[in-house]
Amino acid sequence: MNLFSYFSFTAAFFYLCIGIYALLQDHRGFVNRLFFLLTIIFSLWALANSIAIAAENKETAYNTYRSFSWVFFLFPAPLLHFSLRISRLHAPVKSRYIVLLYLPGLLLYLVSHMGFDIISSFHASRYGWTLQYNRSTPLYYLNILHYSVYLLASIFFYIRWFRHSTSSREKKQASIIVLTFGIGVFLSTVFGTILPLIQHTVFPPLAPVFMTIWIFGISYAILKYRLLYPGPDIAASTILQHIYDTVLLCDRKGFVLYGNRMLIDLSGYHSTEISRLTFADFFPEASSPQHLLEQNQSSIATFLYAKNKQEIPVQLSVSKLRDSHNDEVGFVCTAHDQRPFQNLEAEKEMHRSTAAALRASEEKFMKAFYLSPIGMAILNPETQHIEEMNASGKVMFQIPENSRMENTYPFLRWTDSSQRNYFFSLLNQTGRIETFSTGFIRYDNSLLEVLVSADQIVSGGLPHLMFYFFDITQLNKLETDLINLQKFETVALMAGGIAHDFNNLLTSIRGNISLSKIYLQKSPEPLEMLSSAEGACNRAVELTSKLLSFSKYSHPYKQSVNILAIIQESLKLSDPESKLETSLQADTQRLTAEADEVQLLQVFNNLFINAKQAMNGGGTLRISISNYSNPDSYSPRRQRVQTIPLGEYIMITIHDSGTGIPPEQIQFLFDPYFTTKELGTGLGLTVVYSIVKKHDGEIQVDSTPGEGTTFTIYLPAGAESPS
């Protein structure tokens, strides 16, 4: 390694140290990072020269050049980019145009690897290997033009920065950089371009060594005049990022140096876009910061223009920005969003209007509450204490008119505490309950049956529960009477059918007795016996005519039974030959019901036999068992009174693939003696309906002709499944 190789190696080390030092000053600053990149490129350039100069042979020197050739072609681009950034001329240039600076060097590098190499050979000298350029290729002259344009443009930008600098510190920074950069470029041009061009290549390439003069100037400016020191640190960036006012730092020409997070959020610009904008882009209706301060208008009302053209009213304050040397470097602009203040009076007026409307609304509500013909009560949601009850409610609950609720009837007295707990639990979950059928104990201890609805309301600024009571005591009595009447009609119909069948038989018997008496008129003893039999038949006729009721099934004997086991046993009884394709699925572990096992066997036997007959002895029978919860009453638009009380049920669905039932026959399906089969009695489904109802359950049927029939049975679920 000779002296010139040591020079290049020392230059590479110097470049790297200065770049790291500048990066440590502000690793987030783009200019610092760009300068670090530039020093890395210079360092690689100098390192390549050091290796090539001291190479053992020509081939090693040439391979070194080829390996580092991208550095030689590309370094002018970051050099010019750095001069643009440090002279603050980057703001009018968009990012996509900056990328074009790197395009010529990249193209030259690619072309040089396509047979147009600008280096023809190396020759040895006492100073090391020196370059011999290929002057026969246009690429050599294009490369000289590329270097010259970029270096002259950089010098121009540095000179312009010096001439337009407003502070003494900036002028000193610019003067040092212009001087050292000019000297370095001059020497590099003489030894790296002019001498090789006139074929006087006595020395090896020394351009990367001479450029250390410029880097030395940068170092001096950093240490002496705080070049590349972070700008936002002057105004405490950490504080600026966390205050609620918009803060903008700009130089003396109005170019934005920094904007805090509130400015980004309020304006809608990205952080990378803000550095390309000016003070006038944000506040076009305001004068320049310098002009505002000269007119003693350090605080004015104006508008901040966002990216989406929205005009945001702000109170703008401007003050001078000075550095640690007390040099004026720009302006600090703070803008406070005035929209909350502008809307304050309107909000106050709206609040006053709202309060007046609420008072009027509460007065109307209380008037409607006390005069409503429907029983109503207001309850405390935490204690369930009755705070208010209107006159209709007091009449309904038999509460004395002038008595105080807290002394006479402070709480609703539910007939079933489990229903009360379920009701309030559901109300807390849904916020509203409609037409819940239940019972209460009146003040005089009599039973009150009602449909109760409840809402969560706010009265006087506090949450309350509003209860609505609809007395269905008489309605239930009428419904019971109607059901009893229907039962009597059903029994009468059944009795009439039975009497009709008996009368047919008795008519035949009486006819034969009468004929026998004619033939045996001369035989007193047989005639007397026939007369006695005829009298018995007459009494049987009278007995059938007095038949008024039909009661084959008594009240069920309920105990804990396993529904799945009963269904399995019923399937064996109703389909012993297993002709049906049966699918039995239990989707729950809760299979216990309080029921009469014998009667449930009768229910499922009848349904399975009907399904088998509907499928002509073959087909698919699907049975599923699941849990069903009836947590809420149906809407009054759908059903006024619930068919199934609130609670937990076992739902059994039985679907057959038979012929189905016509829609017009569905409503008569459970009527006594109604049958669609030639040999049927019409009592099977009537018995099923009667047993399910006596078990406090419900049975529903859905059928589509040609697709089959589905019976759904709801039975109250027990506590747990028996083992």
Side-chain angles (χ1 to χ4, degrees):
M1 180 179 289
N2 57 33
L3 182 62
F4 287 95
S5 178
Y6 276 118
F7 283 162
S8 295
F9 182 80
T10 304
F13 181 74
F14 180 67
Y15 289 140
L16 187 60
C17 291
I18 294 300
I20 293 174
Y21 179 76
L23 186 66
L24 292 176
Q25 300 306 307
D26 182 15
H27 67 278
R28 296 182 180 178
F30 182 80
V31 179
N32 297 62
R33 287 181 286 179
L34 182 59
F35 180 73
F36 177 71
L37 173 65
L38 187 59
T39 57
I40 291 294
I41 293 175
F42 278 168
S43 180
L44 292 174
W45 186 14
L47 182 63
N49 268 0
S50 175
I51 297 173
I53 291 172
E56 295 180 356
N57 52 55
K58 184 187 300 185
E59 183 180 354
T60 303
Y62 185 77
N63 290 335
T64 303
Y65 161 76
R66 296 290 292 180
S67 301
F68 289 91
S69 60
W70 63 273
V71 176
F72 309 145
F73 287 107
L74 293 180
F75 99 89
L79 185 67
L80 180 58
H81 191 185
F82 176 75
S83 65
L84 277 172
R85 294 290 302 199
I86 202 170
S87 60
R88 300 193 183 124
L89 293 175
H90 67 284
V93 184
K94 295 184 178 180
S95 298
R96 58 177 176 269
Y97 298 140
I98 293 292
V99 176
L100 297 178
L101 294 176
Y102 294 81
L103 188 59
L106 180 62
L107 292 176
L108 290 173
Y109 169 71
L110 294 176
V111 172
S112 70
H113 283 68
M114 298 172 62
F116 298 94
D117 200 345
I118 64 174
I119 303 297
S120 61
S121 180
F122 286 81
H123 70 271
S125 69
R126 59 177 180 171
Y127 303 111
W129 294 99
T130 59
L131 293 171
Q132 288 185 346
Y133 290 100
N134 183 11
R135 294 176 178 80
S136 63
T137 175
L139 185 64
Y140 172 70
Y141 301 99
L142 288 175
N143 185 54
I144 293 176
L145 179 63
H146 173 232
Y147 271 58
S148 301
V149 171
Y150 275 58
L151 292 176
L152 290 174
S154 299
I155 293 174
F156 169 77
F157 291 138
Y158 289 137
I159 294 174
R160 188 181 184 281
W161 176 37
F162 172 77
R163 294 184 59 187
H164 291 82
S165 296
T166 56
S167 68
S168 60
R169 184 166 66 90
E170 283 192 358
K171 281 189 175 296
K172 291 176 182 178
Q173 293 174 352
S175 61
I176 292 173
I177 291 176
V178 169
L179 179 61
T180 55
F181 185 76
I183 295 174
V185 168
F186 174 75
L187 294 176
S188 298
T189 303
V190 170
F191 285 91
T193 303
I194 297 177
L195 291 180
L197 186 63
I198 62 177
Q199 299 183 358
H200 288 282
T201 55
V202 179
F203 298 102
L206 295 176
V209 177
F210 291 135
M211 288 306 293
T212 57
I213 299 173
W214 174 62
I215 296 298
F216 176 79
I218 294 287
S219 305
Y220 184 78
I222 290 175
L223 296 174
K224 183 69 175 178
Y225 301 113
R226 300 176 62 83
L227 179 68
L228 300 184
Y229 269 66
D233 281 358
I234 299 173
S237 61
T238 303
I239 299 175
L240 295 179
Q241 287 291 352
H242 292 87
I243 64 175
Y244 290 100
D245 280 343
T246 296
V247 178
L248 179 147
L249 305 184
C250 61
D251 61 14
R252 294 178 61 84
K253 294 182 180 180
F255 289 106
V256 176
L257 302 175
Y258 171 79
N260 69 343
R261 186 179 304 166
M262 183 58 68
L263 176 65
I264 295 173
D265 295 340
L266 201 62
S267 65
Y269 287 102
H270 193 267
S271 58
T272 57
E273 298 176 303
I274 287 181
S275 60
R276 297 194 296 269
L277 301 175
T278 64
F279 175 87
D281 293 326
F282 289 105
F283 308 103
E285 297 185 5
S287 303
S288 66
Q290 182 68 35
H291 189 260
L292 289 174
L293 292 176
E294 290 174 354
Q295 293 184 343
N296 295 323
Q297 293 181 330
S298 59
S299 181
I300 62 171
T302 184
F303 292 93
L304 185 149
Y305 280 66
K307 186 177 182 179
N308 59 1
K309 308 301 181 184
Q310 180 185 3
E311 299 179 8
I312 303 172
V314 296
Q315 185 69 28
L316 176 64
S317 299
V318 180
S319 60
K320 293 182 180 180
L321 176 64
R322 297 182 183 274
D323 62 9
S324 59
H325 298 275
N326 203 30
D327 290 331
E328 184 180 326
V329 295
F331 303 94
V332 179
C333 307
T334 60
H336 189 76
D337 191 353
Q338 294 296 297
R339 287 176 296 183
F341 293 100
Q342 290 182 354
N343 296 332
L344 183 58
E345 290 301 324
E347 291 180 2
K348 287 182 179 179
E349 182 62 30
M350 182 184 66
H351 291 162
R352 286 193 291 267
S353 301
T354 303
L358 285 175
R359 286 194 297 270
S361 176
E362 286 191 5
E363 291 176 359
K364 293 179 181 178
F365 167 75
M366 295 308 297
K367 185 176 182 179
F369 174 79
Y370 286 114
L371 298 179
S372 173
I374 299 176
M376 301 171 68
I378 300 176
L379 275 67
N380 186 306
E382 296 181 359
T383 63
Q384 301 176 12
H385 183 274
I386 301 176
E387 296 187 354
E388 295 286 345
M389 181 177 283
N390 65 352
S392 299
K394 290 182 177 180
V395 171
M396 191 179 299
F397 283 85
Q398 299 295 319
I399 299 173
E401 184 176 355
N402 296 324
S403 61
R404 296 173 61 86
M405 294 297 299
E406 59 268 23
N407 297 329
T408 56
Y409 200 83
F411 299 97
L412 292 174
R413 297 162 59 187
W414 298 68
T415 56
D416 188 345
S417 60
S418 62
Q419 271 197 329
R420 178 196 62 194
N421 297 335
Y422 189 84
F423 180 91
F424 281 103
S425 173
L426 187 62
L427 182 59
N428 290 332
Q429 295 176 11
T430 62
R432 159 176 274 190
I433 294 180
E434 295 181 355
T435 59
F436 185 96
S437 179
T438 187
F440 295 102
I441 305 299
R442 291 189 176 102
Y443 177 70
D444 61 358
N445 293 324
S446 61
L447 176 63
L448 172 65
E449 297 179 4
V450 297
L451 289 177
V452 59
S453 300
D455 278 319
Q456 293 180 348
I457 66 169
V458 176
S459 178
L462 298 174
H464 289 82
L465 300 178
M466 174 65 75
F467 275 61
Y468 310 87
F469 306 101
F470 180 71
D471 190 353
I472 59 171
T473 305
Q474 295 299 323
L475 180 63
N476 287 344
K477 186 175 182 304
L478 293 174
E479 184 180 6
T480 302
D481 294 342
L482 179 61
I483 292 174
N484 291 334
L485 179 60
Q486 291 175 344
K487 289 181 179 179
F488 282 125
E489 291 177 352
T490 301
V491 171
L493 179 62
M494 295 169 60
I498 295 172
H500 176 73
D501 293 341
F502 272 104
N503 281 334
N504 288 338
L505 296 173
L506 291 173
T507 300
S508 176
I509 295 172
R510 290 171 64 190
N512 288 324
I513 291 175
S514 298
L515 290 175
S516 299
K517 288 175 66 178
I518 294 173
Y519 288 113
L520 298 173
Q521 287 182 355
K522 296 181 179 180
S523 302
E525 290 184 4
L527 187 62
E528 182 179 355
M529 294 174 65
L530 290 173
S531 297
S532 177
E534 186 177 24
C537 287
N538 291 333
R539 287 193 298 273
V541 170
E542 293 177 359
L543 181 61
T544 56
S545 65
K546 295 179 180 180
L547 185 60
L548 298 176
S549 61
F550 174 80
S551 179
K552 180 178 181 180
Y553 297 93
S554 60
H555 291 289
Y557 174 72
K558 295 182 180 180
Q559 58 183 348
S560 294
V561 296
N562 189 300
I563 298 298
L564 179 60
I566 293 176
I567 292 176
Q568 291 172 338
E569 182 178 355
S570 181
L571 282 172
K572 294 178 182 179
L573 294 175
S574 56
D575 187 27
E577 300 177 359
S578 299
K579 293 183 178 180
L580 298 178
E581 182 181 345
T582 305
S583 169
L584 178 57
Q585 181 178 0
D587 297 328
T588 177
Q589 297 294 327
R590 191 176 184 181
L591 301 169
T592 303
E594 295 293 327
D596 188 318
E597 183 176 358
V598 175
Q599 292 190 4
L600 288 187
L601 276 172
Q602 182 66 31
V603 167
F604 294 120
N605 281 340
N606 285 340
L607 292 176
F608 295 158
I609 290 172
N610 283 355
K612 183 177 180 180
Q613 293 173 350
M615 295 184 289
N616 295 322
T620 302
L621 181 65
R622 296 198 306 270
I623 307 164
S624 66
I625 308 172
S626 61
N627 287 132
Y628 173 80
S629 177
N630 184 22
D632 198 359
S633 54
Y634 296 106
S635 171
R637 296 185 179 93
R638 296 175 56 193
Q639 184 170 329
R640 187 61 182 168
V641 180
Q642 303 171 57
T643 58
I644 306 176
L646 299 183
E648 301 293 331
Y649 291 84
I650 296 177
M651 183 174 69
I652 304 102
T653 302
I654 302 170
H655 175 78
D656 65 68
S657 59
T659 57
I661 303 171
E664 63 272 9
Q665 296 181 0
I666 292 291
Q667 58 180 328
F668 306 111
L669 202 60
F670 298 111
D671 288 353
Y673 292 101
F674 176 81
T675 181
T676 59
K677 299 186 285 275
E678 294 181 0
L679 301 177
T681 62
L683 293 176
L685 290 180
T686 303
V687 171
V688 169
Y689 181 85
S690 175
I691 293 174
V692 171
K693 283 297 184 179
K694 288 178 180 179
H695 283 78
D696 300 321
E698 179 68 16
I699 183 169
Q700 298 173 355
V701 61
D702 184 28
S703 181
T704 302
E707 295 182 8
T709 303
T710 301
F711 284 88
T712 304
I713 299 174
Y714 302 88
L715 294 174
E720 58 183 8
S721 298
S723 57

